[in-house]
Amino acid sequence: MKEYTEFAIPPVILSSYAVAGEKEGSGPLGKYYDEVEKDSYFSKKSWELAEGEMQRRAISGAISKSAFDERDIDCVIAGDLQNQCIASSMGAAGFGIPYIGVYGACSTFGETLILGSSMICGGMADNVLCSVSSHFCTAERQFRFPLPYGSMRQPVAQRTVTGAGALLLSKEGVGVKIKGVMTGKITDYGITDANNMGAAMAPAAADTLTRFFNTTGTTCADYDVIATGDLASEGYELLIKLMEKNGIRMADNYTDCGLMVYNNEEQDVHAGASGAGCSAIVTAGYFIKKLSAGEIRRMLIVPTGALISAQSLAQGCTIPAVAHLICLESGDNK
Amino acid sequence: MKEYTEFAIPPVILSSYAVAGEKEGSGPLGKYYDEVEKDSYFSKKSWELAEGEMQRRAISGAISKSAFDERDIDCVIAGDLQNQCIASSMGAAGFGIPYIGVYGACSTFGETLILGSSMICGGMADNVLCSVSSHFCTAERQFRFPLPYGSMRQPVAQRTVTGAGALLLSKEGVGVKIKGVMTGKITDYGITDANNMGAAMAPAAADTLTRFFNTTGTTCADYDVIATGDLASEGYELLIKLMEKNGIRMADNYTDCGLMVYNNEEQDVHAGASGAGCSAIVTAGYFIKKLSAGEIRRMLIVPTGALISAQSLAQGCTIPAVAHLICLESGDNK
């Protein structure tokens, strides 16, 4: 079994675009997003359609920031959390670009980068647009309760990010490089508490990171930043403990995108952020800019996902999880 | 924009495995499926879990028929129609193989072959397992009505196939070859009748086939078989008309997997078969055997998908569609 793949000719991230909701825009990374929309409906009739519009803006924005137009893009790879990934197909529909839909829950952003890179390295595409979204209002009423209920949230609960992030990958050019990728395995620790996704996903991230460090012979010290996708405060602490058990000490450069989106206490979001859009907007909005500026030279992003549905929870299933790993390097780094 | 990609070193299909439900097993292709299960619950407590078990059997079956075991497989790429593609993650969970979930409605089987091929050609994997399923009972109660209602079906309605098909792709070996692939674009003809999916999907298949023939300079006569995924009788006739408009005459070698699974009249399935499992079991069960035997030398399989959700239909959205194309050749063909 192949573990980590390092690309001989790394795909280049030519442009990135992050669209965020109002609450995300008020968070610590607000100034890094390309666009903050105050209207949760994005001028559409429903939140489901709003999320489609958000993806459309992310795709359009990433293309606009590059030297290309739609006809130069060989494929859009997109995903989201809505049933049948409908926000992604809605968002991509108008561009006339070949379309691949993917679903990996909140790890979806990692999937799109793995598959986009493989299409480029496999000679199937020169330019691939990767786009991922989530919307607090669509996720809440699909997975939990109708919003007007005003349900109480548990202390370990996370808030689904309203946001979409898009990256334009290319076989050549100047920009942040996708140095390598690693596909995650499904782990299942038997957790059934749907309010504690961080705990369900931490074992998946620990499995992927452990396999990665063991395979590559690297340690935390070899990277400026290591960021998991959306473990938030519960999962973050748990990951550190699980890695210790595996004989690996996570250093101070370890963070989690779920801890970066909000001022958790002031914004009253409990354990932090979650959702497929979480690692997408933090990467497309913040990390790519820091890598481009050379402030981060080399980092690992590890999007994490809980593989559940409302039905699987109702039928008493456990919460399996998966975490994919992407190694990013600033363009000037050999 | 890249249209069709022909692989310099085509991935090889080392093994295939098709699991079918009882009604599918009683159809014209019954003897070609590796396994026919009479229990719609597959010995599980719910139909949702049954579909997961069906995918598990398809994955396990394809591995067993090869010279490999789980540790040799670099990735499982899987998809289905259930919310959050839960049957796929359930089916893949126990194998300890890196996992990628995809969603392209009934075109999902095409997605898995495109992405599996690109992973192999991109050097990310030596062996990839592609697995896709649908289940009549999970689809019916998720997209339409609870089964005990016994709702009347319209004459143009199709029946979702209960079945799972898996193919093991490898970078080398003896077997049917994936000569090339083409990713579909989203088309939208403004159709809103969810009982007539064939009509909604035919324009997508026509777009993909027209682009393919124009790009490659080939015609129907260059292939022994051209099979769309699940247009069934309505969509089949419509595709022929749309292709005529594009100046391309479909020949007698054009068929549709949705017309092959059942004896439509005797089995009372109206327009024919549909579902992500439709093209999956017809290909994994029937076409691969005919290609292996040299009875088919070269063919096109064009899985078709309608990009809808129960929510999008309830909110009055149209039914966009997508169709991917895979060119298969028998192993002895240069």
Side-chain angles (χ1 to χ4, degrees):
Chain A
M1 189 181 295
K2 287 202 176 191
E3 300 276 359
Y4 173 66
T5 301
E6 191 163 288
F7 298 116
I9 304 171
V12 177
I13 298 170
L14 288 184
S15 66
S16 67
Y17 199 88
V19 184
E22 185 174 25
K23 198 172 180 93
E24 293 69 26
S26 310
L29 303 183
K31 67 177 177 182
Y32 292 99
Y33 306 130
D34 298 271
E35 191 178 329
V36 175
E37 172 62 63
K38 289 191 189 303
D39 174 15
S40 70
Y41 286 96
F42 283 67
S43 308
K44 298 288 172 184
K45 284 184 184 170
S46 75
W47 287 316
E48 286 71 24
L49 298 177
E51 192 177 343
E53 167 64 10
M54 193 161 62
Q55 280 233 23
R56 191 197 63 75
R57 291 190 196 175
I59 294 168
S60 174
I63 296 174
S64 297
K65 282 172 74 179
S66 77
F68 292 119
D69 68 23
E70 288 101 282
R71 288 161 299 182
D72 301 309
I73 316 295
D74 301 306
C75 192
V76 170
I77 305 179
D80 63 274
L81 303 181
Q82 281 190 48
N83 295 342
Q84 287 72 55
C85 306
I86 198 79
S88 302
S89 52
M90 280 179 182
F95 291 97
I97 303 171
Y99 172 76
I100 291 280
V102 294
Y103 183 79
C106 305
S107 75
T108 301
F109 184 61
E111 273 198 26
T112 65
L113 300 184
I114 290 173
L115 297 174
S117 298
S118 84
M119 276 193 160
I120 288 170
C121 295
M124 281 184 56
D126 293 339
N127 303 302
V128 177
L129 205 303
C130 300
S131 177
V132 170
S133 69
S134 56
H135 192 305
F136 172 72
C137 302
T138 63
E140 205 63 19
R141 68 178 179 176
Q142 178 177 281
F143 290 111
R144 297 178 190 95
F145 298 102
L147 279 161
Y149 277 17
S151 313
M152 286 283 283
R153 296 165 66 78
Q154 298 197 7
V156 292
Q158 298 170 236
R159 184 185 169 95
T160 305
V161 161
T162 298
L167 299 181
L168 175 55
L169 276 48
S170 184
K171 73 168 182 176
E172 56 196 8
V174 176
V176 176
K177 289 182 169 55
I178 298 183
K179 190 81 175 166
V181 299
M182 186 165 161
T183 308
K185 294 179 185 180
I186 300 174
T187 62
D188 190 346
Y189 270 40
I191 287 167
T192 53
D193 179 4
N195 290 303
N196 195 352
M197 292 293 186
M201 295 188 292
D207 177 73
T208 299
L209 279 165
T210 303
R211 287 196 294 133
F212 174 78
F213 286 131
N214 290 345
T215 301
T216 58
T218 61
T219 68
C220 286
D222 293 302
Y223 306 92
D224 293 337
V225 176
I226 296 167
T228 42
D230 59 344
L231 300 184
S233 56
E234 286 289 307
Y236 178 84
E237 298 296 337
L238 184 55
L239 179 113
I240 292 171
K241 284 180 197 157
L242 290 169
M243 293 300 283
E244 260 173 15
K245 271 196 182 174
N246 294 343
I248 297 167
R249 219 190 127 263
M250 297 304 286
D252 288 346
N253 59 352
Y254 168 53
T255 186
D256 180 76
C257 299
L259 295 172
M260 299 172 70
V261 175
Y262 305 113
N263 291 308
N264 289 5
E265 286 202 15
E266 288 164 40
Q267 293 190 285
D268 191 27
V269 296
H270 302 284
S274 69
C278 179
S279 59
I281 63 168
V282 173
T283 304
Y286 176 75
F287 284 133
I288 295 294
K289 291 186 178 72
K290 293 291 173 186
L291 284 154
S292 296
E295 294 173 43
I296 298 174
R297 287 164 307 153
R298 180 186 291 169
M299 69 169 288
L300 304 177
I301 177 88
V302 187
T304 37
L307 302 169
I308 54 152
S309 72
Q311 289 86 343
S312 77
L313 291 172
Q315 293 181 12
C317 298
T318 55
I319 305 178
V322 69
H324 307 297
L325 179 148
I326 323 290
C327 180
L328 299 172
E329 281 192 2
S330 60
D332 56 346
N333 210 6
K334 292 289 171 193
Chain B
M1 189 180 294
K2 288 203 176 190
E3 300 276 358
Y4 173 67
T5 300
E6 191 164 287
F7 297 116
I9 304 171
V12 177
I13 298 170
L14 288 184
S15 65
S16 66
Y17 198 88
V19 184
E22 185 175 24
K23 199 174 179 88
E24 291 70 25
S26 310
L29 303 182
K31 67 177 178 183
Y32 292 99
Y33 306 130
D34 298 271
E35 192 178 327
V36 174
E37 173 61 64
K38 290 191 188 303
D39 175 14
S40 70
Y41 286 96
F42 283 68
S43 308
K44 298 287 173 185
K45 284 184 184 170
S46 74
W47 287 315
E48 285 72 23
L49 298 176
E51 192 177 343
E53 167 64 11
M54 193 161 61
Q55 281 233 22
R56 191 197 63 74
R57 291 190 196 176
I59 294 168
S60 174
I63 296 173
S64 297
K65 281 172 74 178
S66 77
F68 292 119
D69 68 23
E70 287 101 283
R71 288 161 299 182
D72 301 308
I73 316 295
D74 301 307
C75 192
V76 169
I77 305 178
D80 62 274
L81 303 180
Q82 282 189 48
N83 295 342
Q84 287 71 55
C85 306
I86 198 80
S88 302
S89 52
M90 280 178 181
F95 291 97
I97 303 171
Y99 171 77
I100 291 279
V102 293
Y103 183 79
C106 304
S107 75
T108 301
F109 184 61
E111 274 198 25
T112 66
L113 300 184
I114 290 172
L115 297 172
S117 298
S118 85
M119 276 192 161
I120 289 171
C121 295
M124 281 184 57
D126 293 338
N127 304 302
V128 177
L129 205 302
C130 299
S131 176
V132 170
S133 69
S134 56
H135 192 304
F136 172 73
C137 302
T138 63
E140 205 63 18
R141 67 179 180 177
Q142 179 177 281
F143 290 111
R144 298 178 190 93
F145 297 102
L147 278 163
Y149 277 16
S151 312
M152 285 283 284
R153 296 165 68 77
Q154 298 197 7
V156 292
Q158 299 170 236
R159 183 184 170 95
T160 305
V161 161
T162 298
L167 299 182
L168 176 55
L169 274 49
S170 184
K171 73 168 181 175
E172 56 196 7
V174 176
V176 175
K177 289 180 168 56
I178 298 183
K179 190 80 176 168
V181 299
M182 185 166 163
T183 308
K185 294 179 184 178
I186 300 174
T187 62
D188 190 345
Y189 270 40
I191 287 168
T192 53
D193 178 4
N195 290 302
N196 195 353
M197 292 293 186
M201 297 189 291
D207 178 73
T208 298
L209 278 166
T210 302
R211 287 196 293 131
F212 174 78
F213 286 131
N214 290 344
T215 300
T216 57
T218 60
T219 68
C220 286
D222 292 303
Y223 306 92
D224 293 337
V225 175
I226 296 167
T228 43
D230 59 343
L231 300 184
S233 56
E234 287 289 307
Y236 177 85
E237 297 295 337
L238 185 55
L239 179 114
I240 292 171
K241 283 180 197 157
L242 290 169
M243 293 301 283
E244 259 172 16
K245 271 195 183 174
N246 293 343
I248 296 167
R249 219 190 127 263
M250 296 304 285
D252 288 346
N253 59 352
Y254 168 52
T255 186
D256 180 75
C257 299
L259 294 172
M260 299 172 69
V261 175
Y262 306 112
N263 291 308
N264 289 6
E265 287 202 14
E266 288 164 41
Q267 293 189 286
D268 192 27
V269 295
H270 302 285
S274 70
C278 179
S279 59
I281 62 167
V282 172
T283 304
Y286 176 76
F287 284 134
I288 295 295
K289 291 187 178 73
K290 293 291 173 187
L291 285 154
S292 296
E295 293 172 44
I296 298 173
R297 286 165 307 154
R298 179 186 291 169
M299 68 169 289
L300 303 177
I301 177 90
V302 186
T304 38
L307 302 169
I308 55 152
S309 72
Q311 289 86 343
S312 77
L313 291 172
Q315 293 181 12
C317 297
T318 56
I319 305 178
V322 69
H324 307 298
L325 178 148
I326 322 291
C327 180
L328 299 172
E329 280 193 1
S330 60
D332 56 348
N333 211 5
K334 291 289 169 193

